[in-house]
Amino acid sequence: MARGTLRIYLGAAPGVGKTYAMLSEAHRRVERGTDCVVAFVEHHHRPRTEVMLHGLEQLPRREIEYRGGIFTEMDVDAVLRRAPKVALVDELAHTNVPGSRHAKRWQDVEELLAAGIDVISTVNIQHLESLGDVVESITGVRQRETVPDEVVRRADQIELVDMSPQALRRRMAHGNIYKPDKVDAALSNYFRPGNLTALRELALLWVADRVDAYLTEYRSEHRVSTIWGSRERIVVGLTGGPEGRTLIRRAARLAEKGAGGEVMAVYISRSDGLTAVSPKELALQRTLVEDLGGTFHQVVGDDIPAALLDFARGVNATQIVLGVSRRRSWQYVFGPGVGATVARESGPDLDVHLITHAEVGKGRGLPVARGARLGRSRVIGGWLAGVLGPFLLTWLLNSVVPDIGLANDMLLFLTLTVAAALLGGLLPALASAVVGSTLLNWFFTPPVHTLTIADPQNIVAIVVFVGVAVAVASVVDLAARRTHQAARLRAESEILSFLAGNVLRGETGLEDLLERVRETFGMESVALLERAGEKDPWTCAGSVGPRPATTPDAADVDVPVGDHMALSLRGRVLPAADRRVLAAFAAQAAVVVDRRRLKGEADRAEKLAEGNRIRTALLAAVSHDLRTPLAGIKAAVTSLRSDDVEWSEEDQAELLEAIEEGADRLDQLVGNLLDMSRLQTGTVAPVLRETDLDEVVPMALGGVPEDSVELDIPETLPMVHVDRGLLERAVANVVENAVKHSPPGEKVLVSASALANRVEVRVVDRGPGVPDEAKERIFEPFQRYGDSPRGVGVGLGLAVARGFTEALRGTVHAEDTPGGGLTMVLSVPMAPERLEQPALPATAGP
C-alpha cells in the first residue's frame, strides 16, 4: 500500500488562519469529487471557522475519561475504518490525553499516512522542537506541546499562512480569535507587535530554508547541474549536564541554515567509567538529537579535548558547538577547561561555538568520583611522599619541633605512610614504611644514630608501626583496585547497553557497527574477516578506516567469532580487559553479516517469485491476447480460400487488410514480449553514440496513423548520447499508448527541449489522464489502467519504454497535462562534447 501524503499549513501564531485555510482546501477538494472527511478540527468557537465546517463530513471523536473529566480526541480507529482519501487533522503538535492510542497527535497522523490516507494538518512555528528556546526567549512562554522538526520536514507540501502583526492584532481586537474577556490580556502579552514580528520572521526564514531545500532536490532529480557545495557538519560536545539540550537545539538551527547540514552529538566517556553523569539526562538528550534528525555517538577517551577534536576531524566536521564551562571561577586554577582548549587546538579548519546557558558557573551537578584508578601523577606523588617525605619529616622533627616523644614521632611517620598509600598504592606505602622505620630507629629510638634498639618496648612499637603501615597500604590498594574493577564493569555495561540500544533501534548496518567499534576503542581501522574453511583465504566482509587488516595475523587486535570469522583492529594493542566488550561487538557484527546474507537470499527469492509472476502473466497473455490476432488472421485466410463464396475485389481487399492488421498487431505483441524478456534477463546491452533526435523520433511514428501526431523537434536541439534502436522503441511505445487513449480528432503532441545537460522528449495527449496514485503503477509489466478491454494489448508498452530508457541512463515519468490529459516525459543525456560549448572567437572583419 502506498504511503499517504502530508500537507501542512504553517503559521507564525494562533489566529493567522491555518484552520480556515485547511477547511477551504477541503471544500475545494470535495467540489472536485475527492473523498474528504474531518477527522479532528478544533474551531475554538470562532464563528467564521465554525461556518467552514458546514458541508463537510465530520467523524465522531473518541471520549476518554481522565481525572474525573471527559475529554475528546481523534478516533484513529474510526478514521481507519472509514478509510477516506483525505483526512483533516488539526493541531499537529497536540498532546493527547493519557489513555489515548499515542502520546502525540503527530504519531496518530503517522499511522494514518502509513495506512495510505492523505492528511492535511496545521502547526504553528513555535511548536517546532528546535525553536523551543528561541520562542521562549521572545515570548517568555515555554511551549509544552512540540513536534519534531523531522516530522514537519517530511511533509510533501508546506504552505505558509502569513498575516502581518497589525492585521492579526486587529483580528484579535474584533473578537475573531479569543473571547472578549481574554482579548486585552492577549494583546498586552503574547500578541505584542514585537513578539508577532519575531515569530513571523522565524516562520518566514524556516519556510525559506525549506524552499531552498526543495529547489536543490528538484535540481538534483532533473540533473540541472552538478552542485559541489560544502556540507555543514556540526559536532555537539555533550557532558551529560542539563545544558546539553540547549546546545543540541542551537546546533540544529545552525545546521538548518546550510543546505544538507548534519548534527552529530558526541559524549566522551572516560575509560575508567567515571562519567559523573545522569543516565536519564543523557538518554533524553539522545532522544532529542535523534528527533531533530541528528545522530548520537559515544567515544571513550581520557583526554576529552583531544578525543573531541579527533572525532570531529574523523567525521570531517566544520563546526563544534560547546557550552560555556559550568566550573566556578576558582576552579580555573586547575586548567583552562575543555572549551578553551578545544578552541585553541582546533586550528583554522574548525569553527568552535561557545554557547551560554543557564548552568554557567553553577558547578557540576554530580560529584566526580576520585581514586578509581591510580594515574601516573598520583603514583609519582605517592613515591615522593613515601621516599622523600620521611626525610623531610625527620628534618622538621629534629630542627623545628624536637623532643615531642617517640609515640608522636611514630604517629607522624604513620600518617605519612597512609598518605603515600592513598596517593600511590601499595609499593610507595611499603617504601614509606621501610624508610620511615629506618629513620625512626636511627634518629629517634635510643641509642640514637645507631640501628640498635635498647628498650624492648621500642622494638614492639617499631614492629606495630610497620605492620599498621603495611595493613593500611594493602587495604587502600585493594580498595583502589576493586573500585577500578567496578568502574571498568560500569563502563563495559554502558557500552553493552549502548550496543543493545543500537540493535533495538534497528541500526544494523555492518559499516555503522564497525565505525562504532573504531570510535569506542580509538582504533585506526576495523575489519570483519571471514573464510569458508580452514584452508581457504580470508575475505573482507566489511571495513572502516584506512589500511584495514587483510588477515587476523596482520591486526593489532584479533577477536575470533566462531571458526571462520574474525574481527581485526589496527591502531594499538588493547588491554585484555577490553576484549570482553570487543567480543560482544564481534558477535553482533557476525549477526549483522548473517542477517545481510539472509536478506540477500530473500531478495533473490523475491526476484524468483517476480519471475514466476511474469511467466504466469506471459502465459495468460499468450493464451488470450496473442490468440485474438491469430484468430482474426485465421478467419480471413479461411474466408479467402473458401470455394463456396465469390469475393468481390472490395471484400478481398478488406480481408487482406484484416490479415495485415492482425499480423502487425501480432508482431507488436511478440516484440514487446521479447523486449520484456530481455529486460528481465538483463541482456539489454545499449550501444551509445551521438544521435540527432530529429532522426530518431520520426522513425518511431511508423506504427500510428499519419495524422494522429504533431511533431515539434527543433533543428537546433543538441545531439544526445543514446542507442538509436532502444530510444526509437521507447518513444514508439509511449506515442502508441498516447494515441490509443487520445479522443478522436485530437492529435498527440511530441516536442523536445534541452534542459542543462539533458534533453527531454514530451509526449502530450488530451485523454482521460491518470490519477497521481496510478502514475507509477502504469509502468509495471502487464498493467492496464482503468477499464481497458482485453485484446488491446498485454500492458507491456510503458514497462518496456521505461526499461529501455533507464538502460540509456535516462528517465521516464508521467505528468498531468494542463487542461486535462497525460504527458509522458522522457529524459536522456546530452552528448558529452555538447555539455560545455566553448565561446567562439569573434570574427574579424575583412
Side-chain angles (χ1 to χ4, degrees), residues 809-824:
R809 297 179 291 114
T811 60
V812 57
H813 65 276
E815 298 177 353
D816 291 328
T817 300
L822 191 68
T823 298
M824 291 289 183

Side-chain angles (χ1 to χ4, degrees), residues 488-632:
R488 289 284 310 178
L489 292 175
R490 177 179 176 181
E492 291 177 4
S493 64
E494 287 182 355
I495 294 174
L496 291 175
S497 64
F498 180 71
L499 176 61
N502 290 342
V503 176
L504 293 176
R505 286 188 301 274
E507 299 177 9
T508 55
L510 179 60
E511 284 70 21
D512 295 336
L513 182 63
L514 296 181
E515 182 63 28
R516 296 287 187 187
V517 176
R518 192 178 71 86
E519 290 177 359
T520 301
F521 295 98
M523 304 301 288
E524 179 183 354
S525 64
V526 180
L528 184 65
L529 306 177
E530 61 177 349
R531 60 181 178 180
E534 293 292 339
K535 298 182 179 180
D536 294 311
W538 289 96
T539 60
C540 182
S543 65
V544 294
R547 300 185 307 105
T550 56
T551 62
D553 296 336
D556 295 318
V557 180
D558 171 35
V559 179
V561 186
D563 297 331
H564 307 299
M565 191 173 293
L567 185 66
S568 302
L569 298 84
R570 299 185 68 173
R572 62 189 178 93
V573 178
L574 294 178
D578 290 336
R579 289 183 174 268
R580 182 167 54 253
V581 179
L582 197 56
F585 276 105
Q588 178 61 23
V591 171
V592 170
V593 171
D594 291 339
R595 186 183 293 114
R596 187 169 65 179
R597 185 177 292 112
L598 292 175
K599 185 178 182 302
E601 294 177 357
D603 292 340
R604 287 191 293 271
E606 184 177 354
K607 290 182 179 179
L608 291 175
E610 177 67 16
N612 289 333
R613 188 184 71 83
I614 294 292
R615 283 190 288 272
T616 302
L618 181 60
L619 290 174
V622 171
S623 64
H624 186 282
D625 295 283
L626 294 183
R627 283 186 175 183
T628 301
L630 284 174

Side-chain angles (χ1 to χ4, degrees), residues 279-291:
K280 181 179 179 181
E281 179 64 30
L282 201 61
L284 291 175
Q285 294 175 15
R286 176 178 191 147
T287 302
L288 176 61
V289 71
E290 291 177 349
D291 287 343

Side-chain angles (χ1 to χ4, degrees), residues 23-139:
L23 294 174
S24 300
E25 174 65 16
H27 280 286
R28 288 192 293 270
R29 297 199 180 198
V30 170
E31 291 173 0
R32 295 196 297 265
T34 304
D35 183 16
C36 184
V37 301
V38 176
F40 189 98
V41 169
E42 189 63 67
H43 54 73
H44 297 289
H45 303 290
R46 296 169 186 169
R48 296 186 178 181
T49 305
E50 190 172 0
V51 168
M52 293 297 294
L53 286 170
H54 296 166
L56 297 176
E57 179 184 355
Q58 301 185 51
L59 297 182
R61 302 183 182 182
R62 180 188 178 191
E63 294 185 353
I64 301 175
E65 183 178 0
Y66 179 66
R67 292 185 177 179
I70 301 297
F71 300 85
T72 60
E73 294 288 1
M74 180 176 66
D75 193 337
V76 179
D77 289 327
V79 181
L80 294 175
R81 285 193 301 269
R82 174 62 175 78
K85 173 61 180 173
V86 180
L88 307 184
V89 182
D90 205 5
E91 300 178 355
L92 186 63
H94 172 74
T95 301
N96 293 330
V97 176
S100 301
R101 190 189 195 96
H102 299 108
K104 292 285 191 175
R105 184 165 293 163
W106 64 264
Q107 295 172 322
D108 296 336
V109 169
E110 286 291 322
E111 185 171 353
L112 298 182
L113 294 173
I117 300 175
D118 297 343
V119 176
I120 305 177
S121 188
T122 63
V123 70
N124 282 330
I125 193 67
Q126 65 264 30
H127 293 298
L128 296 183
E129 179 69 59
S130 66
L131 299 177
D133 292 346
V134 178
V135 173
E136 183 179 7
S137 64
I138 294 172
T139 64

Side-chain angles (χ1 to χ4, degrees), residues 149-169:
D149 292 45
E150 189 62 22
V151 174
V152 182
R153 289 196 197 98
R154 287 200 305 264
D156 299 273
Q157 297 182 53
I158 300 176
E159 183 171 339
L160 177 66
V161 182
D162 189 27
M163 180 176 289
S164 67
Q166 294 77 13
L168 184 57
R169 285 172 58 84

Side-chain angles (χ1 to χ4, degrees), residues 401-425:
V401 284
D403 301 328
I404 62 174
L406 181 60
N408 292 328
D409 293 337
M410 287 187 175
L411 288 176
L412 290 175
F413 276 96
L414 182 61
T415 302
L416 196 60
T417 301
V418 172
L422 292 174
L423 287 174

